[in-house]
Amino acid sequence: MKFTTVLTQTVLASLCLGTTATCPFETIRDIIGQQEDSQASKSFECEMESDASSCAISEMDTSGTSTLVNPGGETRCIYSNTGPYKFQVWPGASDKMLFYFQGGGACWDKASTELGLCSTSASGDSNIGVFCRDSDSCTGDNPFMDYTIVQVLYCSGDAHIGQVVRDYSAHDRNGENVSQQGAANVQATLDWVKAQDDYFTKFESLVLMGCSAGSLGVQAWAHEVLAQLGDKYGFEDAAVVPDSYSGVFPPDSQSQTIIDFGACDVSALDSAPELRDSCNSGTITLQEMTCYAAENNEDVPFAFLNSKEDEVQIAYYTAIAATIKNDTDVIEPKEYYRQVNEIFEGYSKYENVVEFLISADQHCYTNNQHLWKADTTSSNGGGKDVTTMLDWLTTLPLKSGSAISTECDGDDVDDLDNRPSFGTSYCDTNLYNTINK
Protein backbone atom coordinates (compact mmCIF):
# COMPACT_ATOMS: atom_id res chain seq x y z
CA MET A 1 0.00 0.00 0.00
CA LYS A 2 1.39 3.40 -0.93
CA PHE A 3 1.68 6.12 1.67
CA THR A 4 -0.81 8.97 1.48
CA THR A 5 0.28 12.50 2.34
CA VAL A 6 -1.52 13.36 5.56
CA LEU A 7 0.37 16.45 6.70
CA THR A 8 -2.03 18.76 8.56
CA GLN A 9 -1.84 22.32 9.79
CA THR A 10 -1.93 20.93 13.33
CA VAL A 11 1.24 18.94 12.71
CA LEU A 12 2.95 21.95 11.13
CA ALA A 13 1.98 24.13 14.07
CA SER A 14 3.19 21.55 16.58
CA LEU A 15 6.56 21.25 14.87
CA CYS A 16 7.24 24.84 13.86
CA LEU A 17 5.23 27.24 16.01
CA GLY A 18 5.31 28.11 19.67
CA THR A 19 8.60 26.36 20.34
CA THR A 20 12.21 27.39 20.79
CA ALA A 21 13.36 24.43 18.71
CA THR A 22 14.31 25.05 15.09
CA CYS A 23 11.59 24.06 12.64
CA PRO A 24 12.88 20.94 10.82
CA PHE A 25 11.65 22.24 7.46
CA GLU A 26 13.61 25.47 7.92
CA THR A 27 16.73 23.51 8.89
CA ILE A 28 16.47 21.52 5.67
CA ARG A 29 15.75 24.52 3.46
CA ASP A 30 18.65 26.41 5.06
CA ILE A 31 21.16 23.66 4.23
CA ILE A 32 19.85 23.43 0.64
CA GLY A 33 20.25 27.22 0.38
CA GLN A 34 23.81 27.00 1.67
CA GLN A 35 24.63 24.38 -0.94
CA GLU A 36 23.18 26.56 -3.69
CA ASP A 37 25.21 29.53 -2.46
CA SER A 38 28.43 27.49 -2.78
CA GLN A 39 27.72 26.43 -6.33
CA ALA A 40 30.13 27.21 -9.13
CA SER A 41 30.05 30.76 -10.41
CA LYS A 42 31.84 29.74 -13.60
CA SER A 43 31.80 26.51 -15.57
CA PHE A 44 32.01 25.59 -19.21
CA GLU A 45 28.98 23.81 -20.66
CA CYS A 46 28.55 21.09 -23.25
CA GLU A 47 25.41 19.54 -24.67
CA MET A 48 25.78 16.00 -25.97
CA GLU A 49 24.72 15.98 -29.61
CA SER A 50 24.55 12.33 -30.56
CA ASP A 51 25.84 9.66 -28.23
CA ALA A 52 27.73 9.23 -24.97
CA SER A 53 31.08 9.67 -26.68
CA SER A 54 30.43 13.35 -27.40
CA CYS A 55 31.54 16.12 -25.02
CA ALA A 56 34.85 14.27 -24.89
CA ILE A 57 36.88 14.76 -21.73
CA SER A 58 40.03 15.02 -23.85
CA GLU A 59 38.68 18.30 -25.23
CA MET A 60 37.73 19.85 -21.87
CA ASP A 61 39.56 22.66 -20.11
CA THR A 62 42.24 21.47 -17.71
CA SER A 63 43.00 24.74 -15.92
CA GLY A 64 40.76 23.89 -12.97
CA THR A 65 37.43 25.11 -14.33
CA SER A 66 34.82 22.40 -14.51
CA THR A 67 32.54 21.53 -17.41
CA LEU A 68 28.80 20.88 -17.06
CA VAL A 69 27.54 18.23 -19.46
CA ASN A 70 23.89 17.90 -20.49
CA PRO A 71 23.46 14.27 -21.62
CA GLY A 72 19.83 14.65 -22.73
CA GLY A 73 17.90 11.43 -23.34
CA GLU A 74 15.75 10.29 -20.43
CA THR A 75 17.54 12.52 -17.94
CA ARG A 76 15.71 15.42 -16.30
CA CYS A 77 15.12 17.40 -13.13
CA ILE A 78 12.07 17.03 -10.90
CA TYR A 79 10.19 19.92 -12.58
CA SER A 80 9.79 20.48 -16.31
CA ASN A 81 10.69 24.17 -15.91
CA THR A 82 13.86 23.92 -13.77
CA GLY A 83 16.26 23.14 -16.56
CA PRO A 84 17.93 19.99 -17.85
CA TYR A 85 19.96 17.52 -15.83
CA LYS A 86 23.73 17.96 -16.06
CA PHE A 87 26.80 16.31 -14.58
CA GLN A 88 30.03 18.09 -13.67
CA VAL A 89 33.53 17.14 -14.80
CA TRP A 90 36.98 18.27 -13.67
CA PRO A 91 39.52 16.54 -15.96
CA GLY A 92 42.55 15.06 -14.22
CA ALA A 93 44.58 11.89 -14.21
CA SER A 94 43.46 9.21 -16.64
CA ASP A 95 43.96 6.48 -14.03
CA LYS A 96 42.40 8.15 -10.98
CA MET A 97 38.71 8.92 -10.59
CA LEU A 98 36.51 10.41 -7.89
CA PHE A 99 32.88 9.65 -8.77
CA TYR A 100 30.79 11.92 -6.54
CA PHE A 101 27.04 11.97 -5.81
CA GLN A 102 25.85 15.52 -5.03
CA GLY A 103 23.46 16.13 -2.15
CA GLY A 104 20.45 18.41 -1.93
CA GLY A 105 17.63 17.05 0.24
CA ALA A 106 14.77 14.79 -0.75
CA CYS A 107 11.16 15.08 -1.87
CA TRP A 108 9.35 11.83 -1.20
CA ASP A 109 5.69 12.90 -1.46
CA LYS A 110 3.48 15.86 -2.33
CA ALA A 111 3.92 17.60 1.01
CA SER A 112 7.73 17.38 1.09
CA THR A 113 7.86 18.56 -2.53
CA GLU A 114 5.58 21.53 -1.89
CA LEU A 115 7.61 22.38 1.22
CA GLY A 116 10.75 22.63 -0.94
CA LEU A 117 12.79 19.97 0.83
CA CYS A 118 14.97 19.14 -2.19
CA SER A 119 17.06 20.84 -4.84
CA THR A 120 15.21 21.17 -8.14
CA SER A 121 17.86 22.36 -10.62
CA ALA A 122 21.27 20.98 -11.59
CA SER A 123 24.02 23.37 -10.52
CA GLY A 124 27.70 22.54 -10.22
CA ASP A 125 29.81 22.99 -7.11
CA SER A 126 32.65 25.44 -6.72
CA ASN A 127 36.26 24.35 -6.25
CA ILE A 128 36.14 23.68 -2.53
CA GLY A 129 36.64 20.60 -0.36
CA VAL A 130 37.45 17.56 -2.46
CA PHE A 131 36.76 19.65 -5.57
CA CYS A 132 39.64 22.04 -4.86
CA ARG A 133 42.06 21.99 -7.81
CA ASP A 134 44.65 24.60 -6.86
CA SER A 135 47.00 24.12 -3.91
CA ASP A 136 47.39 27.91 -3.60
CA SER A 137 43.65 28.41 -3.01
CA CYS A 138 42.94 25.29 -0.93
CA THR A 139 42.82 25.70 2.83
CA GLY A 140 44.84 22.51 3.12
CA ASP A 141 45.97 19.51 1.14
CA ASN A 142 43.43 17.73 -1.04
CA PRO A 143 44.26 14.06 -1.63
CA PHE A 144 41.99 14.08 -4.70
CA MET A 145 43.42 17.20 -6.36
CA ASP A 146 44.89 15.36 -9.34
CA TYR A 147 41.96 12.98 -9.80
CA THR A 148 39.48 13.25 -12.62
CA ILE A 149 36.27 14.15 -10.80
CA VAL A 150 32.85 13.34 -12.19
CA GLN A 151 29.98 14.61 -10.10
CA VAL A 152 26.41 13.37 -10.55
CA LEU A 153 24.49 16.61 -9.97
CA TYR A 154 21.22 16.36 -8.08
CA CYS A 155 17.89 17.83 -9.09
CA SER A 156 15.53 14.86 -8.91
CA GLY A 157 14.79 14.80 -5.17
CA ASP A 158 14.91 11.00 -5.05
CA ALA A 159 18.33 10.24 -3.53
CA HIS A 160 19.55 9.30 -7.02
CA ILE A 161 17.42 6.13 -7.16
CA GLY A 162 14.11 7.32 -8.63
CA GLN A 163 12.17 6.29 -11.70
CA VAL A 164 8.65 7.57 -11.19
CA VAL A 165 6.10 10.09 -12.43
CA ARG A 166 3.96 11.34 -9.56
CA ASP A 167 0.25 12.17 -9.64
CA TYR A 168 0.83 15.77 -8.53
CA SER A 169 2.48 18.82 -10.11
CA ALA A 170 3.48 20.72 -6.93
CA HIS A 171 5.42 23.81 -8.10
CA ASP A 172 5.84 22.85 -11.76
CA ARG A 173 5.15 26.10 -13.61
CA ASN A 174 3.98 24.21 -16.70
CA GLY A 175 1.46 22.21 -14.69
CA GLU A 176 3.19 18.93 -15.51
CA ASN A 177 3.38 16.12 -13.00
CA VAL A 178 6.52 15.77 -10.92
CA SER A 179 8.94 13.33 -12.56
CA GLN A 180 11.82 11.86 -10.53
CA GLN A 181 14.38 10.19 -12.77
CA GLY A 182 17.51 10.20 -10.61
CA ALA A 183 18.48 6.69 -11.66
CA ALA A 184 18.48 7.67 -15.34
CA ASN A 185 20.65 10.67 -14.47
CA VAL A 186 23.23 8.46 -12.76
CA GLN A 187 23.23 5.89 -15.56
CA ALA A 188 23.67 8.57 -18.23
CA THR A 189 26.68 9.88 -16.31
CA LEU A 190 28.15 6.37 -16.07
CA ASP A 191 27.52 5.79 -19.78
CA TRP A 192 29.51 8.93 -20.60
CA VAL A 193 32.41 7.80 -18.40
CA LYS A 194 32.42 4.40 -20.10
CA ALA A 195 32.43 6.06 -23.53
CA GLN A 196 35.67 7.97 -22.77
CA ASP A 197 37.87 4.94 -23.38
CA ASP A 198 40.31 6.93 -25.47
CA TYR A 199 41.18 8.82 -22.28
CA PHE A 200 40.72 6.55 -19.27
CA THR A 201 42.92 3.56 -18.58
CA LYS A 202 42.73 0.97 -15.84
CA PHE A 203 42.13 2.95 -12.67
CA GLU A 204 44.95 2.92 -10.19
CA SER A 205 42.52 4.60 -7.75
CA LEU A 206 38.72 4.70 -7.91
CA VAL A 207 36.82 6.49 -5.14
CA LEU A 208 33.02 6.69 -4.88
CA MET A 209 31.76 9.43 -2.58
CA GLY A 210 28.65 11.47 -1.82
CA CYS A 211 27.20 13.69 0.88
CA SER A 212 23.67 13.96 2.28
CA ALA A 213 21.26 12.60 -0.35
CA GLY A 214 24.43 11.75 -2.24
CA SER A 215 25.48 9.56 0.68
CA LEU A 216 22.27 7.61 0.22
CA GLY A 217 22.99 7.53 -3.50
CA VAL A 218 26.54 6.25 -3.21
CA GLN A 219 25.44 3.49 -0.83
CA ALA A 220 22.60 2.41 -3.13
CA TRP A 221 24.75 2.58 -6.27
CA ALA A 222 28.11 1.40 -4.89
CA HIS A 223 27.88 -2.20 -6.07
CA GLU A 224 26.60 -1.28 -9.54
CA VAL A 225 29.11 1.53 -10.14
CA LEU A 226 32.00 -0.70 -9.06
CA ALA A 227 30.66 -3.42 -11.36
CA GLN A 228 30.19 -1.17 -14.40
CA LEU A 229 33.48 0.71 -14.12
CA GLY A 230 35.31 -2.43 -13.06
CA ASP A 231 34.04 -4.28 -16.13
CA LYS A 232 34.91 -1.41 -18.45
CA TYR A 233 38.29 -0.26 -17.14
CA GLY A 234 39.21 -2.34 -14.09
CA PHE A 235 40.80 -0.85 -10.98
CA GLU A 236 43.71 -1.60 -8.67
CA ASP A 237 42.34 0.04 -5.50
CA ALA A 238 38.94 1.53 -4.67
CA ALA A 239 37.01 3.00 -1.77
CA VAL A 240 33.44 4.04 -0.99
CA VAL A 241 32.95 7.10 1.24
CA PRO A 242 29.37 7.90 2.32
CA ASP A 243 29.35 11.35 3.96
CA SER A 244 26.57 12.30 6.37
CA TYR A 245 23.64 9.99 5.88
CA SER A 246 23.47 6.81 7.91
CA GLY A 247 19.81 6.04 7.22
CA VAL A 248 17.97 6.69 10.51
CA PHE A 249 14.30 6.64 9.49
CA PRO A 250 11.02 6.68 11.45
CA PRO A 251 9.61 3.18 11.99
CA ASP A 252 7.88 1.58 9.01
CA SER A 253 8.77 4.35 6.56
CA GLN A 254 11.99 3.41 4.81
CA SER A 255 11.06 0.50 2.53
CA GLN A 256 7.92 2.08 1.12
CA THR A 257 9.71 5.38 0.50
CA ILE A 258 12.33 3.55 -1.60
CA ILE A 259 9.64 1.60 -3.45
CA ASP A 260 7.55 4.73 -4.10
CA PHE A 261 10.58 6.30 -5.77
CA GLY A 262 10.27 3.50 -8.34
CA ALA A 263 13.64 2.07 -7.33
CA CYS A 264 12.77 -1.60 -7.84
CA ASP A 265 13.31 -1.39 -11.60
CA VAL A 266 16.33 0.91 -11.82
CA SER A 267 19.75 -0.07 -13.15
CA ALA A 268 21.30 0.41 -9.69
CA LEU A 269 20.00 -3.10 -8.94
CA ASP A 270 21.00 -4.73 -12.24
CA SER A 271 23.96 -6.54 -10.65
CA ALA A 272 22.07 -7.38 -7.48
CA PRO A 273 19.08 -9.64 -8.21
CA GLU A 274 18.63 -10.37 -4.50
CA LEU A 275 18.07 -6.68 -3.84
CA ARG A 276 15.56 -6.44 -6.67
CA ASP A 277 13.67 -9.37 -5.17
CA SER A 278 13.72 -7.66 -1.79
CA CYS A 279 12.42 -4.45 -3.33
CA ASN A 280 9.63 -6.23 -5.15
CA SER A 281 8.66 -7.99 -1.93
CA GLY A 282 8.43 -4.64 -0.12
CA THR A 283 11.21 -5.09 2.44
CA ILE A 284 14.26 -3.36 0.94
CA THR A 285 16.24 -0.91 3.07
CA LEU A 286 19.29 1.26 2.58
CA GLN A 287 21.10 -0.91 5.11
CA GLU A 288 20.39 -4.02 3.04
CA MET A 289 21.80 -2.32 -0.07
CA THR A 290 24.92 -1.23 1.82
CA CYS A 291 25.45 -4.67 3.32
CA TYR A 292 25.14 -6.23 -0.12
CA ALA A 293 27.73 -3.84 -1.56
CA ALA A 294 30.19 -4.34 1.30
CA GLU A 295 29.83 -8.13 1.28
CA ASN A 296 30.26 -8.44 -2.48
CA ASN A 297 33.19 -6.03 -2.69
CA GLU A 298 35.24 -7.27 0.24
CA ASP A 299 38.49 -5.74 -1.05
CA VAL A 300 36.95 -2.24 -1.17
CA PRO A 301 36.89 -0.21 2.07
CA PHE A 302 33.57 1.41 2.97
CA ALA A 303 34.48 4.44 5.08
CA PHE A 304 31.59 6.38 6.65
CA LEU A 305 31.74 10.00 7.83
CA ASN A 306 29.01 10.99 10.28
CA SER A 307 28.39 13.58 12.99
CA LYS A 308 27.04 12.24 16.27
CA GLU A 309 24.29 14.88 16.33
CA ASP A 310 23.80 15.68 12.63
CA GLU A 311 21.10 18.36 12.67
CA VAL A 312 19.96 17.78 9.09
CA GLN A 313 19.56 14.02 9.45
CA ILE A 314 17.60 14.67 12.65
CA ALA A 315 15.43 17.22 10.81
CA TYR A 316 14.69 14.79 7.99
CA TYR A 317 13.62 12.14 10.48
CA THR A 318 11.08 14.60 11.88
CA ALA A 319 9.96 15.75 8.42
CA ILE A 320 9.40 12.18 7.21
CA ALA A 321 7.43 11.33 10.33
CA ALA A 322 5.28 14.44 9.83
CA THR A 323 4.54 14.09 6.13
CA ILE A 324 4.14 10.34 5.90
CA LYS A 325 2.66 9.45 9.28
CA ASN A 326 1.08 12.72 10.45
CA ASP A 327 3.27 12.30 13.50
CA THR A 328 5.01 14.99 15.55
CA ASP A 329 7.70 12.52 16.59
CA VAL A 330 10.93 14.45 17.19
CA ILE A 331 14.06 12.38 17.61
CA GLU A 332 16.52 13.69 20.19
CA PRO A 333 20.24 13.78 19.35
CA LYS A 334 21.04 11.09 21.92
CA GLU A 335 18.45 8.72 20.40
CA TYR A 336 19.58 9.56 16.89
CA TYR A 337 23.17 8.67 17.83
CA ARG A 338 22.04 5.42 19.43
CA GLN A 339 20.31 4.41 16.20
CA VAL A 340 23.36 5.43 14.15
CA ASN A 341 25.44 3.07 16.27
CA GLU A 342 22.90 0.29 15.79
CA ILE A 343 23.09 0.70 12.03
CA PHE A 344 26.88 0.73 12.03
CA GLU A 345 26.93 -2.31 14.34
CA GLY A 346 25.07 -4.10 11.56
CA TYR A 347 27.99 -3.34 9.24
CA SER A 348 30.65 -4.37 11.78
CA LYS A 349 30.49 -8.00 10.64
CA TYR A 350 32.18 -6.88 7.43
CA GLU A 351 35.92 -6.45 7.78
CA ASN A 352 35.98 -3.75 5.09
CA VAL A 353 33.77 -1.21 6.93
CA VAL A 354 35.04 1.62 9.16
CA GLU A 355 33.57 4.87 10.48
CA PHE A 356 34.82 8.34 11.36
CA LEU A 357 32.44 9.81 13.96
CA ILE A 358 32.57 13.51 14.80
CA SER A 359 31.31 15.09 18.03
CA ALA A 360 29.30 17.75 16.19
CA ASP A 361 25.99 18.57 14.52
CA GLN A 362 27.59 19.46 11.17
CA HIS A 363 26.02 18.01 8.02
CA CYS A 364 28.50 17.12 5.23
CA TYR A 365 32.25 17.49 5.26
CA THR A 366 33.75 16.51 1.93
CA ASN A 367 32.29 19.36 -0.14
CA ASN A 368 33.18 22.29 2.13
CA GLN A 369 35.86 23.85 4.36
CA HIS A 370 35.27 21.32 7.15
CA LEU A 371 37.28 18.82 5.10
CA TRP A 372 40.39 20.65 6.31
CA LYS A 373 39.22 21.37 9.85
CA ALA A 374 37.36 18.41 11.31
CA ASP A 375 38.66 15.80 13.69
CA THR A 376 36.75 13.42 15.92
CA THR A 377 36.30 16.07 18.66
CA SER A 378 34.71 18.80 16.53
CA SER A 379 33.71 19.83 13.02
CA ASN A 380 36.19 22.68 13.47
CA GLY A 381 38.96 20.49 14.86
CA GLY A 382 41.34 21.45 17.62
CA GLY A 383 41.46 18.15 19.44
CA LYS A 384 44.72 16.88 20.93
CA ASP A 385 46.24 13.56 19.92
CA VAL A 386 43.33 12.69 17.63
CA THR A 387 43.14 11.80 13.97
CA THR A 388 42.00 14.54 11.60
CA MET A 389 39.44 13.76 8.94
CA LEU A 390 41.85 14.86 6.23
CA ASP A 391 44.56 12.47 7.41
CA TRP A 392 41.99 9.68 7.61
CA LEU A 393 40.70 10.27 4.08
CA THR A 394 44.22 10.63 2.69
CA THR A 395 44.81 6.92 3.31
CA LEU A 396 42.05 6.06 0.80
CA PRO A 397 42.02 4.07 -1.30
CA LEU A 398 44.34 1.85 0.68
CA LYS A 399 47.66 0.97 -0.88
CA SER A 400 49.84 -1.99 0.01
CA GLY A 401 51.10 -1.72 3.59
CA SER A 402 48.55 0.93 4.65
CA ALA A 403 45.61 0.71 7.06
CA ILE A 404 42.56 2.62 8.19
CA SER A 405 40.63 2.27 11.47
CA THR A 406 37.35 3.41 12.95
CA GLU A 407 37.84 6.72 14.78
CA CYS A 408 35.68 8.17 17.56
CA ASP A 409 36.20 10.49 20.53
CA GLY A 410 34.57 9.58 23.84
CA ASP A 411 34.31 6.98 26.57
CA ASP A 412 34.18 3.40 25.32
CA VAL A 413 30.90 1.51 25.69
CA ASP A 414 30.77 -2.17 24.75
CA ASP A 415 26.97 -2.46 24.97
CA LEU A 416 24.54 0.25 23.88
CA ASP A 417 22.27 -0.71 26.77
CA ASN A 418 25.04 0.53 29.06
CA ARG A 419 25.52 3.87 27.27
CA PRO A 420 25.27 7.11 29.28
CA SER A 421 21.69 8.19 29.95
CA PHE A 422 22.33 11.59 28.40
CA GLY A 423 24.47 13.05 25.65
CA THR A 424 26.53 11.50 22.90
CA SER A 425 30.01 11.61 24.43
CA TYR A 426 30.68 7.89 24.06
CA CYS A 427 31.96 5.45 21.46
CA ASP A 428 30.52 2.04 20.65
CA THR A 429 33.45 -0.38 20.74
CA ASN A 430 31.54 -2.80 18.52
CA LEU A 431 32.32 -0.48 15.62
CA TYR A 432 36.08 -0.58 16.12
CA ASN A 433 37.66 -2.12 13.10
CA THR A 434 40.94 -1.84 11.23
CA ILE A 435 41.30 -2.55 7.52
CA ASN A 436 44.79 -3.59 6.48
CA LYS A 437 45.94 -3.69 2.88
Side-chain angles (χ1 to χ4, degrees):
M1 180 179 69
K2 287 192 173 184
F3 289 127
T4 301
T5 300
V6 290
L7 184 66
T8 67
Q9 293 301 315
T10 301
V11 172
L12 280 171
S14 298
L15 289 172
C16 299
L17 299 176
T19 176
T20 58
T22 302
C23 173
F25 309 120
E26 291 301 326
T27 298
I28 293 165
R29 286 192 289 258
D30 284 348
I31 195 67
I32 292 173
Q34 291 170 21
Q35 291 174 344
E36 291 173 348
D37 289 343
S38 69
Q39 288 166 353
S41 58
K42 179 183 177 182
S43 290
F44 297 105
E45 297 207 15
C46 182
E47 185 171 347
M48 287 170 53
E49 297 177 353
S50 54
D51 56 38
S53 62
S54 59
C55 293
I57 189 171
S58 58
E59 298 176 2
M60 290 182 182
D61 180 84
T62 58
S63 67
T65 301
S66 64
T67 297
L68 302 181
V69 179
N70 171 10
E74 297 179 356
T75 68
R76 60 162 291 161
C77 294
I78 189 170
Y79 293 134
S80 64
N81 60 278
T82 51
Y85 165 74
K86 303 169 186 176
F87 57 88
Q88 187 173 18
V89 182
W90 286 268
S94 61
D95 61 351
K96 295 180 180 180
M97 174 171 287
L98 172 59
F99 193 86
Y100 197 100
F101 290 77
Q102 189 181 47
C107 292
W108 54 90
D109 59 11
K110 183 178 181 181
S112 57
T113 308
E114 291 181 339
L115 284 165
L117 302 188
C118 63
S119 298
T120 60
S121 60
S123 300
D125 280 309
S126 59
N127 292 16
I128 192 170
V130 296
F131 307 127
C132 185
R133 309 298 280 177
D134 179 1
S135 58
D136 292 333
S137 61
C138 293
T139 302
D141 293 334
N142 175 16
F144 308 104
M145 189 177 297
D146 64 337
Y147 279 54
T148 291
I149 301 176
V150 177
Q151 180 173 211
V152 182
L153 299 183
Y154 183 57
C155 60
S156 54
D158 54 13
H160 298 282
I161 59 171
Q163 182 178 285
V164 63
V165 178
R166 303 290 192 171
D167 60 2
Y168 47 85
S169 60
H171 299 297
D172 192 295
R173 293 179 184 173
N174 299 319
E176 296 185 17
N177 283 1
V178 162
S179 182
Q180 296 180 281
Q181 306 299 327
N185 296 347
V186 176
Q187 189 57 59
T189 307
L190 280 170
D191 289 343
W192 176 86
V193 172
K194 292 187 293 182
Q196 307 305 309
D197 50 11
D198 62 339
Y199 184 84
F200 293 121
T201 60
K202 182 178 182 179
F203 291 119
E204 173 192 330
S205 299
L206 174 63
V207 178
L208 314 184
M209 189 181 292
C211 94
S212 193
S215 175
L216 297 174
V218 75
Q219 291 173 72
W221 276 91
H223 181 68
E224 184 65 25
V225 174
L226 290 169
Q228 289 195 32
L229 296 186
D231 287 345
K232 176 64 180 180
Y233 296 113
F235 54 83
E236 291 291 336
D237 301 301
V240 178
V241 185
D243 175 8
S244 298
Y245 223 98
S246 56
V248 176
F249 285 83
D252 304 319
S253 65
Q254 184 178 174
S255 296
Q256 194 63 51
T257 299
I258 294 171
I259 293 165
D260 285 352
F261 277 141
C264 295
D265 296 321
V266 301
S267 58
L269 305 184
D270 281 355
S271 299
E274 298 94 330
L275 293 179
R276 179 157 283 141
D277 290 344
S278 178
C279 194
N280 288 326
S281 67
T283 61
I284 194 167
T285 64
L286 175 68
Q287 289 75 40
E288 184 181 6
M289 288 189 264
T290 303
C291 285
Y292 186 92
E295 181 176 4
N296 287 278
N297 297 276
E298 59 184 13
D299 294 329
V300 177
F302 283 66
F304 289 81
L305 307 174
N306 212 89
S307 289
K308 292 183 178 182
E309 301 183 9
D310 187 318
E311 64 175 354
V312 174
Q313 293 190 60
I314 290 171
Y316 266 106
Y317 180 102
T318 304
I320 292 170
T323 59
I324 288 178
K325 305 181 74 176
N326 200 24
D327 191 344
T328 57
D329 184 19
V330 177
I331 191 169
E332 297 293 332
K334 65 178 182 180
E335 174 59 18
Y336 162 78
Y337 181 51
R338 183 192 70 79
Q339 292 192 36
V340 168
N341 280 304
E342 280 192 339
I343 289 170
F344 288 158
E345 279 190 5
Y347 302 153
S348 64
K349 61 185 175 183
Y350 303 111
E351 296 181 354
N352 57 328
V353 178
V354 289
E355 295 85 17
F356 191 98
L357 296 166
I358 308 99
S359 298
D361 61 6
Q362 170 67 25
H363 185 66
C364 288
Y365 291 88
T366 53
N367 63 346
N368 56 56
Q369 295 280 1
H370 291 285
L371 172 72
W372 296 297
K373 299 178 180 180
D375 59 33
T376 53
T377 69
S378 167
S379 58
N380 291 312
K384 294 182 178 181
D385 300 322
V386 294
T387 301
T388 66
M389 180 178 293
L390 182 63
D391 285 345
W392 196 74
L393 287 174
T394 299
T395 64
L396 296 172
L398 293 179
K399 303 299 181 182
S400 179
S402 62
I404 189 170
S405 299
T406 294
E407 300 288 345
C408 178
D409 181 67
D411 296 330
D412 287 345
V413 172
D414 60 8
D415 187 333
L416 288 177
D417 290 339
N418 297 327
R419 70 190 185 281
S421 59
F422 60 89
T424 59
S425 59
Y426 66 91
C427 299
D428 183 354
T429 61
N430 294 295
L431 310 187
Y432 289 168
N433 189 24
T434 297
I435 307 172
N436 295 292
K437 181 72 173 182

